[in-house]
Amino acid sequence: MVQPLRRLKESPSQTAGPYVHIGATPNFADIAGVFPHDLGSQPLDAAVKGERIVVTGRVFDGSGTPVKDALIEIWQADAEGLYPGQGEKRGEADPHFPGWFRQPVDGATGVYRFETIKPGSAPYFDGRPMAPHITFWIVARGINIGLHTRLYFGDEDEANAADPVLARIEHRVRVPTLIAERSEENGQSVYTFDIRLQGENETVFFDI
Amino acid sequence: MRNDPTSQQGGSFYQRDRSWHPPAFTPDYKTSVLRSPKYALLSLGNTVSEMTGPVFGHDMLGPLDNDLIRNHAQTGDPIGPRIIVHGRVLDEDARPVRGALLEFWQANAGGRYRHKKESYLAAIDPNFGGCGRTITDDEGRYWFRTIKPGPYPWPNGVNDWRPAHIHFSVFGHAFAQRLITQMYFEGDPMIWQCPIVMGIPSREAVEQLVAALDRENTLPMDTMAYKFDIVLRGRRSTLFENRMEGN
């Protein structure tokens, strides 16, 4: 007999269910007084460096219907491309920038909205620069294991063309599903990033 | 936690075993039919974007955050079986994951959730909110006190009921470890009839989500206890990794 590797198995995922808001955003779910505010919903500190942007969009199911009970988390680098959390070995990120935000989609319209900054470039594991991007994690009723994807910016054509992750997408017709279109709203940059869970123009999801 | 040695020593995370987790498409759980991607996932080696994660300090916790019996009490204690849930958060190499933020949410003893989109006729308990959170200690341990949730009917099949369960959201040391799952209770026959549970391919994997009744940690004449350990992805040693900055 060979020696066993004796590694534990990861706890299996289960859906977050329709009432994920009770645990993740209880104030949004009208459960007041337990937590002072919903984690990840804090406004951006005025001292955060970088260009203020809005990221918004909807999540659609395979019939084209907006998903109205999804919860979205985003994780991103600061304006210099440094991550503000654990595991960042390259230097100290902007201390005012949390890097992580969480929002439920609107229960009536399905629209989500984050106010953040445009991230700088961070390196791929071989050292090549990745284009600026925001990691998305989507959970909802009907999603058995959280879906990872990335938002890239529609006004970063050159960086996107050189991005080593986008370059790995064999079916080039799918690349635009990760590119958020830029528009202006009251002088502020707004990036619209719709996520299609299934079917036509299905968003690229990653096994990370 | 920023300087936690366990978050510094590791390389990339072990690949997730997606034959152990439920697949996206589990048609007996009807909502998954239109919410499951049809294309294959694109495999992406871990980059700094996945190997980093947010920090949550103990200073964010209120004194009742891990006490669901008291954190929404208005006129007294909630009704239902009083339980302690405790366990450890470990990685796949059985190392403790310290400083992990756990969030949990659940229905009350009658199976009723406190949520505006919920219409089950079982009564709301005025003294029960159903949410809590805690952060693991240096050995990866956590505990909280609550009321054992009741089973709950849901519009899937015409007569489908969820087993008693508590939802868990777990933040490890990196976004690659992010996990949401559900805890079930030892001996509940409804576990094996539930389309959400049975989306998990193997019985062994389901059993990993079933908390054991823990008589040794039960408080006599006060509160029963259940033990529920959670395992997050482990990570490679960096001994032989030849990766550039950004690993």
Side-chain angles (χ1 to χ4, degrees):
Chain A
M1 281 286 285
V2 297
Q3 296 184 14
L5 290 170
R6 278 199 205 91
R7 205 161 274 149
L8 303 178
K9 297 299 288 186
E10 187 185 10
S11 296
S13 174
Q14 291 273 263
T15 179
Y19 307 127
V20 59
H21 316 99
I22 293 173
T25 56
N27 293 288
F28 171 84
D30 293 335
I31 301 176
V34 179
F35 305 148
H37 60 83
D38 291 338
L39 202 59
S41 67
Q42 71 281 16
L44 205 57
D45 189 313
V48 172
K49 298 189 188 78
E51 183 198 350
R52 296 279 194 289
I53 61 169
V54 170
V55 173
T56 186
R58 288 183 290 176
V59 180
F60 296 93
D61 73 13
S63 77
T65 304
V67 173
K68 294 173 182 171
D69 52 14
L71 183 80
I72 299 177
E73 295 183 4
I74 64 172
W75 174 238
Q76 65 166 96
D78 70 8
E80 304 298 321
L82 291 169
Y83 281 89
Q86 311 178 70
E88 175 57 87
K89 301 166 185 170
R90 295 170 297 145
E92 201 66 26
D94 182 347
H96 300 284
F97 184 59
W100 175 82
F101 302 91
R102 177 160 72 185
Q103 290 288 339
V105 304
D106 184 272
T109 64
V111 173
Y112 74 85
R113 181 183 174 93
F114 292 100
E115 296 188 10
T116 182
I117 54 139
K118 195 169 177 186
S121 170
Y124 194 51
F125 56 71
D126 62 6
R128 282 182 286 166
M130 293 190 283
H133 63 275
I134 298 176
T135 296
F136 273 61
W137 192 65
I138 302 126
V139 294
R141 175 173 66 104
I143 296 178
N144 287 321
I145 181 165
L147 293 167
H148 278 264
T149 189
R150 284 185 176 191
L151 174 157
Y152 286 85
F153 296 88
D155 53 349
E156 294 281 348
D157 287 345
E158 201 175 321
N160 291 342
D163 182 82
V165 172
L166 293 177
R168 297 209 31 233
I169 300 174
E170 177 189 356
H171 305 101
R172 301 310 293 166
V173 67
R174 303 194 66 205
V175 172
T177 69
L178 301 185
I179 313 287
E181 290 306 322
R182 182 171 181 272
S183 59
E184 294 272 328
E185 179 187 293
N186 304 322
Q188 194 169 31
S189 296
V190 176
Y191 292 90
T192 302
F193 186 56
D194 286 333
I195 296 157
R196 291 179 174 79
L197 299 178
Q198 183 191 84
E200 194 175 350
N201 295 319
E202 182 176 305
T203 299
V204 173
F205 297 105
F206 296 100
D207 186 12
I208 62 166
Chain B
M1 270 186 312
R2 196 174 291 271
N3 296 313
D4 183 341
T6 60
S7 72
Q8 297 292 323
Q9 70 189 36
S12 55
F13 287 86
Y14 299 138
Q15 184 181 346
R16 191 164 248 163
D17 180 357
R18 288 184 179 268
S19 69
W20 183 256
H21 290 279
F25 178 70
T26 51
D28 290 346
Y29 173 25
K30 294 182 180 180
T31 312
S32 78
V33 172
L34 285 177
R35 295 187 175 191
S36 46
K38 280 199 162 59
Y39 284 87
L41 301 179
L42 181 67
S43 295
L44 173 62
N46 289 175
T47 74
V48 66
S49 305
E50 292 77 38
M51 293 173 64
T52 52
V55 175
F56 302 102
H58 284 81
D59 56 356
M60 67 173 267
L61 299 178
L64 297 178
D65 279 8
N66 68 338
D67 186 355
L68 282 70
I69 291 181
R70 291 282 158 77
N71 72 13
H72 198 263
Q74 313 291 316
T75 59
D77 285 352
I79 289 172
R82 296 159 58 88
I83 62 169
I84 291 163
V85 178
H86 75 100
R88 298 178 77 199
V89 180
L90 304 168
D91 71 14
E92 289 169 285
D93 292 309
R95 288 188 295 226
V97 182
R98 62 189 61 137
L101 172 67
L102 303 183
E103 302 165 301
F104 14 85
W105 66 99
Q106 61 169 95
N108 68 22
R112 175 68 188 264
Y113 283 96
R114 186 179 283 276
H115 192 282
K116 52 196 161 193
K117 286 193 174 179
E118 152 71 294
S119 56
Y120 180 34
L121 46 72
I124 287 277
D125 185 329
N127 294 311
F128 192 73
C131 60
R133 61 189 179 188
T134 189
I135 291 177
T136 58
D137 70 12
D138 281 350
E139 278 77 51
R141 290 178 305 204
Y142 75 91
W143 57 92
F144 62 96
R145 186 169 75 150
T146 187
I147 295 295
K148 188 176 179 183
Y152 160 79
W154 58 303
N156 187 62
V158 290
N159 189 23
D160 279 347
W161 293 71
R162 297 300 323 283
H165 64 280
I166 300 177
H167 297 265
F168 276 72
S169 158
V170 191
F171 292 83
H173 295 164
F175 216 55
Q177 291 178 308
R178 192 77 180 84
L179 181 72
I180 282 183
T181 188
Q182 301 183 28
M183 181 198 109
Y184 305 100
F185 291 85
E186 180 179 4
D188 186 344
M190 297 170 71
I191 293 170
W192 310 101
Q193 303 170 13
C194 173
I196 289 177
V197 177
M198 299 313 281
I200 298 173
S202 74
R203 185 177 179 99
E204 192 186 357
V206 171
E207 285 170 345
Q208 195 175 355
L209 298 182
V210 182
L213 176 64
D214 182 1
R215 292 292 298 276
E216 278 68 27
N217 280 300
T218 289
L219 304 177
M221 305 300 286
D222 185 330
T223 309
M224 295 275 274
Y226 284 87
K227 193 215 72 163
F228 183 58
D229 286 345
I230 295 165
V231 180
L232 301 182
R233 294 169 72 178
R235 55 200 317 182
R236 295 153 54 89
S237 84
T238 49
L239 292 175
F240 297 100
E241 283 200 41
N242 183 27
R243 288 188 167 178
M244 313 271 289
E245 182 176 88
N247 177 9

